Every structure is written in structure tokens, then in C-alpha cells.
Amino acid sequence: MARQLDEQIAGRFAVGQRLRVLDVGMGQGTQALRLARAGHQVTGLEQDATMVATAREALASEPEGIRDRMRIIEGDGRDTGVHFLPGSFDLVLCHGVLMYVEEPDPMVAGLARMLAPGGLLSLLVRNADALAMRPGLSGDWGQALEAFDSTVYRNRLGLDVRADRLATLTATLAGIGAPLHTWYGVRVFTDTAVDGAQPPDDVDTLLAAEERAGRTDPYRATAALLHLCGVRG
């Protein structure tokens, strides 16, 4: 996904431009720190206090220049309008968050309002059109049949969460003035890997295969996750 995001940044913004980035639901700060290291001004928003502490600890170990380029705010991603003015950012990330939000449309609309004209909105969501893939490939035929008509699934943390359909999110993005520019699949071949599995020796080849599949039909439509990129008009 990082490669996909970098591709979109390179194609949309001038070389060397320092972007104003908002990472909503930043978790432990992996993407936020990566972008700060690349020279961008990054704000991370996270409501989980444990994740905030982990991110702050990671940031504290970075050189001063990177620390100066990143700030961390504890707060709910549904309340971006409380923390920031509209149009404050060139890039807004919301990765792995919408599955925990019962009504995602208001939140996505709020994220789009944070973008300056021409800004990029990057969403990573669970693919509701492929929910039958994991149980089907695992031989759980009953659960696979149920998944065809569902947008709810149980994740690996044991939580019942929701997934999004590409067509629905495409319509949502068009309606809020940040129409879909492109989309990718994420975890096409590797979604059934067990937790804690060690990467193979030829991990670069694996990543190349995943990246190719994530941008190629029909493979990307079967991915566990969808990476959608909308552009603010």
C-alpha cells in the first residue's frame, strides 16, 4: 500500500513539494512516520490511548528534524472539524478505520472537507465484494455462502466489523466532491497467511506479485482490502 500511495503522490504533486498530511486513525504511526521521514509535515489523529503512547514513543526516537515535522493528537476521526479548519491538508489518510465506523458517510465527508483543492484522500477499507474469499479458500463453505450477501465479518481480533463495497464508496466520494481517481487491491494472495507467519526468503518477489495483482483486473477485485484514492475538486 505504501508503494501505491507513493505512486499517487508522485503523480499528483510537484517533485520535492512538502505536503501537509493528516493521518486519521494513525495507529502506531507507521505511515505517519514514513511520510515525516520523507520530509512532509504530518499530523496524526488517534483515539486509542495505547496507540498514541506507542506512536509518541516511536517519534521520540527519531532525529529532531523529523520530530519537528510531526505532531500527534489524541481524538476521534469523526471529529476532524473540531480540530482543523477546512482545506488544511494536501493529503488525508484513513487506513483501516472505516470498518469500525457504523455510519461511514459522515466521517468520509468530514475527511474530504479537510482537503485543499486538488488534495488527495486515501482510504483503506475491507472489501465487502470479496468477503467469501477467506472462508472459501479455508474450506469453510457455510461461512463463505453467508458472506456473499453480507457486509459484516469477524476480524482476526474477534470483533464483528463492517466492510465496504467499491460501488458504494465510489458514489459516496462523488457526492462529497472528492471523486474516485483510482483504486487498488491489497492482500490479493496473502490474506489467508496465519498471524505471525514469517515472510518468505523471496519476500521481494512476493511483494512484486502482490503489487502487480493489486492494480490488475480481475485480481484486484478479489483482494481482502481496497485502497481508494479520491481527489478534491
Side-chain angles (χ1 to χ4, degrees):
M1 188 188 65
R3 297 182 185 186
Q4 297 164 356
L5 183 60
D6 287 348
E7 177 181 75
Q8 290 304 308
I9 291 173
R12 177 143 300 276
F13 302 103
V15 175
Q17 181 177 347
R18 303 309 187 192
L19 303 179
R20 300 165 298 165
V21 180
L22 173 63
D23 188 353
V24 174
M26 69 169 183
Q28 61 188 6
T30 302
Q31 287 295 325
L33 277 170
R34 188 181 72 85
L35 291 168
R37 293 180 189 123
H40 304 298
Q41 193 74 35
V42 181
T43 300
L45 183 64
E46 172 60 53
Q47 68 173 348
D48 186 278
T50 300
M51 289 293 187
V52 169
T54 300
R56 285 179 173 155
E57 182 178 356
L59 180 61
S61 66
E62 295 287 332
E64 181 180 358
I66 295 174
R67 296 199 305 271
D68 291 343
R69 286 196 295 271
M70 182 171 165
R71 60 174 175 157
I72 297 170
I73 298 174
E74 188 171 345
D76 194 316
R78 290 168 291 191
D79 297 329
T80 49
V82 174
H83 300 285
F84 316 108
L85 293 174
S88 295
F89 299 95
D90 306 299
L91 172 62
V92 174
L93 313 180
C94 184
H95 296 164
V97 175
L98 292 186
M99 55 272 288
Y100 299 102
V101 179
E102 188 172 341
E103 296 291 340
D105 286 4
M107 180 172 175
V108 176
L111 299 179
R113 283 194 292 271
M114 296 300 103
L115 287 169
L120 181 67
L121 175 61
S122 174
L123 303 175
L124 183 72
V125 302
R126 183 71 180 184
N127 182 9
D129 293 319
L131 286 182
M133 290 296 292
R134 184 187 293 175
L137 292 173
S138 301
D140 188 341
W141 314 120
Q143 187 176 345
L145 283 171
E146 291 177 6
F148 280 110
D149 300 313
S150 178
T151 56
V152 177
Y153 70 102
R154 178 159 293 181
N155 66 14
R156 288 175 172 171
L157 299 175
L159 302 175
D160 290 325
V161 290
R162 47 173 300 282
D164 289 284
R165 299 193 187 279
L166 177 62
T168 302
L169 274 179
T170 298
T172 296
L173 291 171
I176 60 176
L180 183 67
H181 172 65
T182 193
W183 65 279
Y184 306 88
V186 176
R187 290 199 339 230
V188 177
F189 300 130
T190 58
D191 186 54
T192 55
V194 298
D195 292 339
Q198 294 299 310
D201 293 336
D202 57 345
V203 65
D204 289 340
T205 306
L206 180 154
L207 291 174
E210 279 283 352
E211 185 177 9
R212 178 72 178 272
R215 63 180 68 243
T216 304
D217 292 321
Y219 305 102
R220 63 177 180 166
T222 67
L225 303 169
L226 298 178
H227 179 197
L228 291 81
C229 298
V231 174
R232 183 72 174 174

